């Protein structure tokens, strides 16, 4: 998830066996992230909320979704944003929001929905003659916009799947990062994260307690100055391997 060429988390030691990365913590994060990735890949079921006050539009949308290609769509409908908000609190994977008229009725609610449900992909459906509303919707927080008159099953299903999987992936990454931070901060080992030159860019609680460095003091140090002189060559070798992404 985190390429070693960007930065590396290292256990502080003066021993020749300098392990390089966090060990059990990084393996736990890796397993957690792999499980999240597998969960995303085996989730061909999508729960869609359509907010649109036109029943014929709702029927057309359902006709396009009911026979999913390698996936299954479940659609629920609300006639207004106000009626749809309680439904968004349940397990909804994506929102289809119908925009009516040249004044973009409904568009003004996009920022509110996005702020309240930031992990929810919003796809707005706009009339062909006011396509400018689509760009405004993207600026307001929508993930995508589709022109109602050009909709077809393949296009609609692809847009919903792409927007949903992207949000799921982003959510999985955030969870992995939170998991890493938790393991990093609470590990009993003294741990640092380094830049490619070996400079310390962060340290965990154990490092702060044992080494007695403030954050500003730690950020002025380089890992190469903390290893025994006889192991400096090994340290440099490990840093080169990290930069070159070698195992």
């Amino acid at each position: 998830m985190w390429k070693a060429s960007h930065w590396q988390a290292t256990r502080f030691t003066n021993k020749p066996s300098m392990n390089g990365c966090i060990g059990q913590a990084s393996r736990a994060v890796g397993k957690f992230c792999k499980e999240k990735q597998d969960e995303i890949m085996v989730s061909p079921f999508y729960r869609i909320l359509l907010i649109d006050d036109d029943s014929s539009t709702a029927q057309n949308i359902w006709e396009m979704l009911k026979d999913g290609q390698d996936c299954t769509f479940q659609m629920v409908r609300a006639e207004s944003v106000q009626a749809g908000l309680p439904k968004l609190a349940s397990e909804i994977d994506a929102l289809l929001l119908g925009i009516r008229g040249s004044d973009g009725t409904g568009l003004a609610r996009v920022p509110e929905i996005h702020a309240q449900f930031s992990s929810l992909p919003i796809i707005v459906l706009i009339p062909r003659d006011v396509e400018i509303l689509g760009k405004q919707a993207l600026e307001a927080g929508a993930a995508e916009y589709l022109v109602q008159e050009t909709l077809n099953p393949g296009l609609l299903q692809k847009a919903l799947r792409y927007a949903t999987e992207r949000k799921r992936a982003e959510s999985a990454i955030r969870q992995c990062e939170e998991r890493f931070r938790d393991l990093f901060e609470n590990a009993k080992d003294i741990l640092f994260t380094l830049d490619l030159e070996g400079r310390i860019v962060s340290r965990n609680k154990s490092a702060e307690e044992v080494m007695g460095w403030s954050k500003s003091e730690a950020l002025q140090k380089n890992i190469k100055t903390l290893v025994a002189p006889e192991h400096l060559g090994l340290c440099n070798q490990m840093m080169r391997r990290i930069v070159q992404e070698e195992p």
Side-chain angles (χ1 to χ4, degrees):
M1 185 62 64
W2 301 273
K3 286 183 180 264
S5 59
H6 293 165
W7 50 268
Q8 186 78 20
T10 302
R11 178 183 289 113
F12 174 65
T13 176
N14 282 333
K15 298 179 180 179
S17 60
M18 184 176 179
N19 288 320
C21 56
I22 294 179
Q24 290 184 347
S26 63
R27 285 193 294 273
V29 172
K31 180 180 179 182
F32 178 79
C33 293
K34 179 63 166 58
E35 291 173 351
K36 285 296 178 182
Q37 183 181 31
D38 292 342
E39 181 181 313
I40 292 173
M41 294 178 65
V42 296
S43 301
F45 180 74
Y46 302 93
R47 292 148 297 199
I48 310 301
L49 171 64
L50 170 66
I51 297 181
D52 197 299
D53 60 3
D54 185 79
S55 58
S56 62
T57 297
Q59 183 61 38
N60 289 338
I61 294 295
W62 173 239
E63 290 296 327
M64 296 182 194
L65 296 179
K66 68 178 183 180
D67 296 319
Q69 300 175 359
D70 301 322
C71 64
T72 301
F73 290 96
Q74 180 186 66
M75 191 183 87
V76 294
R77 178 192 169 214
E79 294 188 356
S80 67
V81 172
Q82 196 63 35
L85 286 177
K87 299 180 187 296
L88 290 177
S90 62
E91 295 184 350
I92 295 296
D93 293 310
L95 168 64
L96 283 174
L97 178 62
I99 303 298
R100 298 290 173 194
S102 59
D103 61 347
T105 301
L107 186 60
R109 303 298 296 273
V110 172
E112 173 191 349
I113 298 171
H114 179 63
Q116 190 170 349
F117 305 95
S118 59
S119 63
L120 178 74
I122 304 171
I123 298 179
V124 298
L125 306 175
I126 63 171
R128 190 205 305 266
D129 56 349
V130 285
E131 194 164 348
I132 185 64
L133 295 178
K135 298 178 181 179
Q136 294 175 8
L138 296 180
E139 293 173 354
E144 181 63 276
Y145 73 89
L146 300 173
V147 178
Q148 295 171 2
E149 290 84 353
T150 63
L151 278 183
N152 60 65
L155 175 62
L156 180 58
Q157 291 180 27
K158 182 179 179 180
L160 284 169
R161 292 184 66 169
Y162 177 77
T164 301
E165 297 302 341
R166 182 174 59 187
K167 285 293 186 179
R168 286 177 177 176
E170 291 172 353
S171 176
I173 290 173
R174 283 194 299 271
Q175 291 181 52
C176 288
E177 291 174 341
E178 291 170 2
R179 177 74 167 172
F180 176 86
R181 281 192 293 269
D182 180 64
L183 290 170
F184 178 82
E185 284 296 331
N186 295 295
K188 295 189 181 299
D189 289 327
I190 298 173
L191 301 177
F192 308 102
T193 59
L194 313 173
D195 65 14
L196 296 180
E197 299 300 323
R199 292 183 291 263
I200 295 175
V201 296
S202 69
R203 82 284 183 260
N204 70 345
K205 294 177 182 177
S206 292
E208 181 179 6
E209 293 170 357
V210 174
M211 308 305 291
W213 299 332
S214 66
K215 181 178 180 180
S216 60
E217 289 174 323
L219 297 183
Q220 296 175 14
K221 300 184 181 297
N222 191 300
I223 192 65
K224 296 176 184 179
T225 66
L226 303 179
V227 298
E230 62 267 27
H231 302 315
L232 184 58
L234 177 60
C235 179
N236 289 329
Q237 180 183 355
M238 290 184 63
M239 294 299 296
R240 285 195 298 271
R241 289 173 59 186
I242 291 170
V243 172
Q244 296 170 8
E245 297 188 33
E246 295 179 1

